[in-house]
Amino acid sequence: MEQEKTKKKPKHKKLILLLLLVLLASGIGLYVYFQKGTVPIISADLLPEVGDANDQRLSERAQEIADANYFTLQINPEAIFEDGSSPGSIEIVNPGTNVYPIAVDITLSNGEIIYSSGAIHPNQFVENVNLITPLAKGEYQAKATINIYDPETKEKQGVTEAELTIIVKN
């Protein structure tokens, strides 16, 4: 009877060892399967991973795009002339940060155009000008109409206005 007991023990050990090997193999298989993850999709329609670009270059490009859609203008709210027929200081600036050329027309409250600038490209300014129509001594309320143009097609893209005072000293 002792011999039968010793014979059964090795069979149980072999069976337990075989079961442990199957569980170990299954565990390794599941680990490898879940570590692989999904297969990446390759398509020309998907944005590629970031390559050589870093955050600074990306932010600079984003700023360039924002600047291209942003418009600023500098105009002195007072234009001063010594007399109605001499050049006066009008000070219109199209800053270099703009991408749009502009043209400025200044009209009096009665609708009469007293100055027309012609094209002012980015990084250009108008400082001293002659009025189209000489004015008598006094202060005049006027409106500057700023026409904004597409730099490539030269078509008008928009209009903005600014109030100003024309001062003729003599």
Side-chain angles (χ1 to χ4, degrees):
M1 200 144 158
E2 281 183 34
Q3 290 178 344
E4 287 180 21
K5 285 184 180 178
T6 54
K7 287 183 181 178
K8 286 184 179 180
K9 283 185 181 178
K11 282 187 178 182
H12 276 297
K13 283 185 180 180
K14 287 181 183 178
L15 187 58
I16 291 173
L17 185 60
L18 183 61
L19 185 58
L20 286 174
L21 286 174
V22 169
L23 287 174
L24 182 64
S26 298
I28 291 172
L30 288 172
Y31 176 78
V32 170
Y33 175 77
F34 285 113
Q35 289 300 317
K36 269 181 134 179
T38 58
V39 176
I41 298 172
I42 299 173
S43 172
D45 294 337
L46 298 177
L47 180 67
E49 294 294 322
V50 175
D52 296 332
N54 61 36
D55 288 341
Q56 184 177 7
R57 284 191 239 162
L58 292 174
S59 65
E60 286 173 1
R61 180 63 185 136
Q63 187 61 47
E64 287 173 9
I65 292 168
D67 289 344
N69 293 311
Y70 187 73
F71 176 79
T72 60
L73 171 74
Q74 295 172 1
I75 187 166
N76 191 339
E78 291 184 342
I80 301 172
F81 296 83
E82 282 301 315
D83 61 60
S85 57
S86 64
S89 172
I90 205 158
E91 299 176 24
I92 303 168
V93 179
N94 188 356
T97 56
N98 286 343
V99 295
Y100 301 103
I102 61 171
V104 178
D105 293 322
I106 297 177
T107 56
L108 296 175
S109 56
N110 65 6
E112 179 184 3
I113 296 177
I114 59 170
Y115 175 73
S116 188
S117 70
I120 306 170
H121 291 276
N123 213 29
Q124 290 185 329
F125 65 94
V126 173
E127 193 170 22
N128 294 311
V129 301
N130 285 323
L131 299 175
I132 295 170
T133 305
L135 296 174
K137 179 181 178 177
E139 287 189 16
Y140 301 85
Q141 294 305 309
K143 175 176 64 176
T145 302
I146 299 97
N147 300 293
I148 305 165
Y149 295 90
D150 183 287
E152 294 175 10
T153 64
K154 299 186 190 233
E155 292 179 8
K156 188 185 286 188
Q157 296 297 302
V159 176
T160 188
E161 295 178 342
E163 298 292 323
L164 63 138
T165 303
I166 308 294
I167 299 170
V168 180
K169 291 183 176 181
N170 297 314

